């Protein structure tokens, strides 16, 4: 539950600021208020994976973004990752596309693992909270404008997976 927050805060140990202390306090309050809750993992349909990927734009001292995501079948993540992005982005839309493109590697691995176990997988649904990013993912370079033309082609690999029918994207607001 707090993996992304802890991962981010670990990068701020050398030079924390007031906002970092507020984030740490929030994480500690969350832990205190949920210490009696149990982790529940359930699978209603083993052939349908879901993934939630979110990125934050320019949150590190060097102005790089941060991406967190997890993969689940229904309730409870079985794979999760939180990582500082390797390059700077010019917008939150670009940071989200970079994050989704990077996290796609883990999604493909999990999907291929399930196929190797003999399951016939439905398209994995990636939930995204940025509608501009969803358009870029679904339409590829056709959706590019002067603000997104510079984005490296490797981050549009996710569009190829959509065209192959392996991946679908759905909008899910951040607060849900």
């Amino acid at each position: 539950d707090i993996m992304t927050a802890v991962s981010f805060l670990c990068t701020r140990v050398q030079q924390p600021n007031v906002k970092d202390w507020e984030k740490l306090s929030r994480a500690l309050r969350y832990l205190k208020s949920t210490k009696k809750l149990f982790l529940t993992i359930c699978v209603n349909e083993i052939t349908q994976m879901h993934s939630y990927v979110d990125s934050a734009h320019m949150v590190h001292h060097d102005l790089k973004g941060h991406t967190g995501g997890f993969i689940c079948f229904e309730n409870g993540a079985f794979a999760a990752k939180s990582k500082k992005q390797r390059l700077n982005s010019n917008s939150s839309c670009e940071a989200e596309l970079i994050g989704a493109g990077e996290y796609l590697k883990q999604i493909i691995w999990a999907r291929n693992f399930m196929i190797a176990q003999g399951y016939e997988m439905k398209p994995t649904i990636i939930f995204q909270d940025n509608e501009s990013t969803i358009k870029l993912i679904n339409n590829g370079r056709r959706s590019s404008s002067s603000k997104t033309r510079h984005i490296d082609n490797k981050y549009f690999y996710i569009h190829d997976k959509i065209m192959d029918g392996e991946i679908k994207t759905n909008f899910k607001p951040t607060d849900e």
Side-chain angles (χ1 to χ4, degrees), residues 49-110:
M49 284 194 306
H50 298 97
S51 181
Y52 296 79
V53 182
D54 196 16
S55 297
H57 176 57
M58 296 174 57
V59 293
H60 291 283
H61 289 296
D62 57 2
L63 303 180
K64 291 184 177 164
H66 199 95
T67 298
F70 66 91
I71 305 170
C72 63
F73 286 106
E74 191 65 37
N75 291 331
F78 69 85
K81 186 176 181 180
S82 177
K83 187 176 178 182
K84 180 179 178 181
Q85 292 182 348
R86 289 186 237 155
L87 64 148
N88 290 336
S89 56
N90 292 317
S91 67
S92 59
C93 176
E94 185 177 344
E96 295 276 3
L97 182 63
I98 290 168
E102 287 294 318
Y103 200 72
L104 181 64
K105 298 169 193 172
Q106 188 148 350
I107 295 167
I108 291 171
W109 181 89

Side-chain angles (χ1 to χ4, degrees), residues 1-6 9 21-40 70 76-77:
D1 288 351
I2 62 165
M3 180 187 65
T4 302
V6 170
L9 288 169
W21 286 109
E22 290 169 0
K23 289 173 186 156
L24 176 60
S25 295
R26 182 177 178 197
L28 291 173
R29 282 193 311 272
Y30 174 79
L31 286 174
K32 185 177 180 181
S33 68
T34 60
K35 67 183 175 184
K36 295 192 182 202
L37 296 179
F38 295 95
L39 175 62
T40 304
F70 66 91

Side-chain angles (χ1 to χ4, degrees), residues 93 96-97 126-140 143 159 162 168-172:
C93 176
E96 295 276 3
L97 182 63
I126 299 175
F127 291 101
Q128 177 59 247
D129 66 350
N130 187 307
E131 292 180 279
S132 296
T133 303
I134 291 172
K135 287 178 184 172
L136 282 170
I137 289 170
N138 289 335
N139 300 325
S143 292
H159 173 69
I162 287 191
K168 288 183 178 180
T169 56
N170 283 355
F171 177 71
K172 186 162 221 129

Side-chain angles (χ1 to χ4, degrees), residues 116-128:
Q117 303 310 306
Y119 294 102
E120 210 169 298
M121 300 301 291
K122 294 179 180 178
T124 302
I125 299 169
I126 299 175
F127 291 101
Q128 177 59 247

